[in-house]
Amino acid sequence: MAAGRGARMWRFDTGRICLDLVATEPAGGVPRAREQLDGPVRLARWLTDARLVPPGTALTELDDTWVARFRELRCAVGRLMAAQLGGPEADGALERVNSLASGAPPGPRAVRGADGGLVRALSTAPDCAGLLAVVARDAVDLLTDPAARAALRRCQGENCHRLYLDTSRGGRRRWCSGEICGNRERVARHRRRTMGAADGRGPAKEIPPGVA
């Protein structure tokens, strides 16, 4: 699913935190896509949007080093997932992800919010290694879960490379987002039919829409 863009970065819910990280890369498939993790402010926003840290969490130590390390993990995870889909072997990527997964993630706890209800907080101030461990462990869980591996897909939209888990009935989902890539394909298909009719060739052959 896609969320609003505007002042906030484009959020894409892949179904897994590790794939959410991969979706921030410039080659993710969004038209005119650019680096989403382009500095500490954007990384802090992503960490909150991806629910790695609760809203309002102070990240006083976050700097360019964090950004570089999250990009490095993103690259390793992306290579591993591409290999699962028949791409080249990801030499060294598995060792890197396993190493980061061995870190200690920050522990959650429940605290009273302003309205008296329970909200999630972290037991200690999160550091970079601990947050990287959360994402790396999610990648390990995905890679070692046969059902999750079988549901791993790459968007079939033109020029889109986003990864996601297909949890649709029958496993027939074709696009990362029906509202974005699915709609683009429907518009392109309509344009081809219209042009075909104008050229006297008749409507183009209909392509089964699949499941968005």
Side-chain angles (χ1 to χ4, degrees), residues 91-117:
D91 296 334
L94 185 58
E95 290 77 8
R96 184 58 182 154
V97 170
N98 282 335
S99 175
L100 293 173
S102 66
R109 62 191 182 108
V111 300
R112 295 288 178 187
D115 61 356

Side-chain angles (χ1 to χ4, degrees), residues 9-211:
M9 69 172 60
W10 195 77
R11 283 285 295 125
F12 168 61
D13 183 4
T14 65
R16 295 298 287 254
I17 293 174
C18 63
L19 299 183
D20 284 347
L21 179 61
V22 175
T24 66
E25 65 184 356
V30 180
R32 298 176 297 279
R34 64 177 187 176
E35 174 62 64
Q36 292 198 47
L37 303 183
D38 59 2
V41 172
R42 301 274 279 186
L43 175 57
R45 186 176 298 163
W46 183 83
L47 291 171
T48 302
D49 288 349
R51 298 177 59 83
L52 267 75
V53 300
T57 300
L59 297 169
T60 57
E61 302 298 321
L62 196 160
D63 59 13
D64 288 331
T65 301
W66 286 42
V67 177
R69 294 182 68 185
F70 269 89
R71 287 187 187 178
E72 179 187 23
L73 174 58
R74 181 179 67 184
C75 179
V77 173
R79 292 175 60 208
L80 286 170
M81 299 306 163
Q84 289 294 317
L85 294 173
E89 291 297 321
D91 296 334
L94 185 58
E95 290 77 8
R96 184 58 182 154
V97 170
N98 282 335
S99 175
L100 293 173
S102 66
R109 62 191 182 108
V111 300
R112 295 288 178 187
D115 61 356
L118 292 174
V119 296
R120 187 172 71 97
L122 300 178
S123 56
T124 59
D127 61 9
C128 187
L131 295 176
L132 287 168
V134 176
V135 182
R137 289 184 182 198
D138 184 63
V140 170
D141 287 343
L142 192 161
L143 291 167
T144 56
D145 180 343
R149 287 201 312 268
L152 183 64
R153 301 283 189 275
R154 190 180 295 281
C155 182
Q156 296 181 31
E158 185 176 0
N159 299 321
C160 185
H161 310 289
R162 290 192 183 277
L163 299 169
Y164 61 91
L165 291 190
D166 181 4
T167 57
S168 65
R169 180 174 298 180
R172 297 175 57 237
R173 177 176 164 188
R174 297 174 55 197
W175 305 302
C176 63
S177 167
E179 293 82 5
I180 305 296
C181 287
N183 188 57
R184 286 196 201 116
E185 182 164 331
R186 286 187 286 270
V187 170
R189 195 163 59 217
H190 174 72
R191 186 179 296 114
R192 289 194 296 270
R193 287 199 303 267
T194 302
M195 292 177 63
D199 291 343
R201 299 194 299 265
K205 184 178 179 180
E206 184 71 19
I207 302 173
V211 178

